[in-house]
Amino acid sequence: MTLRLRPEDRADFAWVLALALDVTEIRTALARSPVAPDTARLRAGALAEADGIAAAADDEYRTYLRARAAVMPPPPPGAPPAEASPPSRGAGALLPALGVLTPLISAVAAAVFLLCGYGLRLATPRSQAATTLVTAGWVCALVAAVSTGVGLCALLVTAVRDRARPPSAHPLPVRNPAAEQARAAWHQALLDRGLLPYLRGQLTVSPPPAD
């Protein structure tokens, strides 16, 4: 029976897929053929068919899973299965919402106060209520401008920080020699018997002659 890729191993599949797309024959075929699918479409198609492609390296994958299970500490007797804790919905979710809503609400309030205040001032020039509304409107306009500026600065800082962060070049290590060896063997089999034949089929490329 063919194994389905486990969720935690799909990052490995994506990493080997990136290696396969960078093989010279694949890059050359992509560059030469005007009707060939682009890299993004090839990647999306391979990820969608990950289980079928990975079946070509089923034996190596089983070996890797057994090696990995052998080094994982067993749960204590009677312990309930671990469950992923739900994401926090506290300040981390509240602050972005405030960052979006504050400028919008302040701008709307400023428009309403200024419109009412100046309209009332035209009708009754010496109205204290008109002065209060105009002042409140300009205060809301200032709040909207400041909150918009703060939000844009936060977005800019986040974008710069994410751009400066180097992407992960390889899935996280297993930190066990036997499991790492089994993992490397699975990666090689997945590349040679799964992903490269799949990409060649999509690009109608013949494999290079054996040395």
Side-chain angles (χ1 to χ4, degrees):
M1 181 178 178
T2 302
L3 285 176
R4 291 179 59 86
L5 278 177
R6 297 188 179 182
E8 63 268 24
D9 295 325
R10 293 188 180 270
D12 288 57
F13 182 91
W15 180 76
V16 180
L17 172 59
L19 294 181
L21 289 170
D22 198 45
V23 169
T24 302
E25 62 172 297
I26 302 300
R27 289 190 287 108
T28 302
L30 283 168
R32 284 180 179 174
S33 177
V35 296
D38 57 22
T39 302
R41 288 174 58 191
L42 279 175
R43 180 182 293 108
L47 292 174
E49 300 181 38
D51 290 320
I53 296 171
D58 194 61
D59 291 340
E60 288 81 2
Y61 186 46
R62 291 176 186 273
T63 301
Y64 168 51
L65 290 181
R66 286 195 296 267
R68 187 172 67 186
V71 300
M72 293 178 62
E83 297 181 357
S85 58
S88 173
R89 299 183 180 272
L94 180 61
L95 291 178
L98 290 178
V100 173
L101 292 177
T102 300
L104 179 62
I105 295 174
S106 300
V108 172
V112 172
F113 287 152
L114 290 174
L115 184 62
C116 293
Y118 281 114
L120 188 58
R121 181 173 289 179
L122 288 175
T124 54
R126 297 184 177 181
S127 171
Q128 184 63 35
T131 301
T132 302
L133 287 173
V134 169
T135 301
W138 284 115
V139 170
C140 288
L142 179 61
V143 171
V146 171
S147 57
T148 300
V150 171
L152 290 176
C153 289
L155 287 176
L156 180 60
V157 169
T158 301
V160 171
R161 184 181 304 162
D162 290 343
R163 189 173 182 179
R165 183 181 303 149
S168 176
H170 191 285
L172 292 177
V174 180
R175 300 188 183 280
N176 177 270
E180 275 296 331
Q181 185 176 2
R183 187 188 202 186
W186 171 52
H187 286 176
Q188 192 64 48
L190 181 60
L191 177 68
D192 293 339
R193 302 202 305 266
L195 283 164
L196 285 178
Y198 170 82
L199 295 176
R200 290 179 187 128
Q202 296 296 311
L203 297 169
T204 63
V205 177
S206 299
D211 295 335

